[in-house]
Amino acid sequence: MMDMTMQMMEMHVAESSMPGMDMKLMAECIEACSACEQACTMCASCMMGEGTAMHMEMCMNTADMCNTMMRMMLRPSGMMMDSMMRMLDATMVQCRLCADECMKHADMHEDCRVCAEACRQAAMACEKMMDSMQMMMADS
């Protein structure tokens, strides 16, 4: 999947409204957000039951945020630095909160452990993307 995403990003790099963007990092962030969205959706599904509403809703919100972040990155001509930075930050925060919540249940549910790891990976990918964008701004 990563190769396909990278190929698509490279085809559209010229259309980007943010020249100099690290498309390899962006492709990695897209993949991490996609994996997180899937893990959170499955984790929310397995947590349906009494006393798990907050956890389930946290996972659903994280899945939605990751989907939105991923879709923003897939639209190179519509990228605006300020909104991308804010969305990356919000996604990173949401992923970290969800990972913390899922770890509370990881000893009872394997889905929660997997979800927590996917959330951590997505948060790290968003952080790397933000760092790259900040360096890009500093160089310009």
Side-chain angles (χ1 to χ4, degrees):
M1 177 93 160
M2 178 67 158
D3 291 334
M4 189 263 320
T5 303
M6 190 63 205
Q7 284 178 321
M8 295 295 289
M9 297 305 292
E10 287 173 351
M11 286 176 13
H12 296 282
V13 70
E15 299 168 18
S16 175
S17 58
M18 294 189 295
M21 180 69 67
D22 185 333
M23 290 299 168
K24 183 176 185 305
L25 269 182
M26 188 173 289
E28 289 171 7
C29 193
I30 289 167
E31 294 299 325
C33 285
S34 177
C36 186
E37 176 190 18
Q38 294 171 48
C40 285
T41 299
M42 293 180 76
C43 187
S45 178
C46 88
M47 291 307 292
M48 289 185 179
E50 247 181 77
T52 61
M54 187 194 75
H55 182 182
M56 188 174 72
E57 289 173 8
M58 173 84 69
C59 286
M60 290 189 299
N61 289 342
T62 304
D64 289 345
M65 295 237 358
C66 283
N67 179 274
T68 300
M69 185 73 256
M70 179 180 60
R71 291 171 58 92
M72 282 180 72
M73 288 184 283
L74 290 170
R75 297 182 186 118
S77 61
M79 291 178 192
M80 298 299 162
M81 185 68 76
D82 190 46
S83 64
M84 285 290 290
M85 292 293 281
R86 290 172 190 259
M87 189 63 187
L88 283 163
D89 186 52
T91 303
M92 185 175 59
V93 168
Q94 183 68 29
C95 286
R96 287 181 177 154
L97 291 171
C98 190
D100 291 345
E101 181 62 29
C102 283
M103 281 310 294
K104 293 177 185 175
H105 308 276
D107 59 335
M108 297 181 300
H109 300 282
E110 181 67 10
D111 289 314
C112 293
R113 188 196 61 72
V114 171
C115 186
E117 182 57 31
C119 287
R120 281 194 198 100
Q121 293 295 321
M124 286 190 294
C126 288
E127 186 172 21
K128 284 181 186 176
M129 192 72 227
M130 285 178 64
D131 290 347
S132 174
M133 291 172 70
Q134 287 170 339
M135 288 183 357
M136 188 180 81
M137 288 184 337
D139 291 342
S140 57

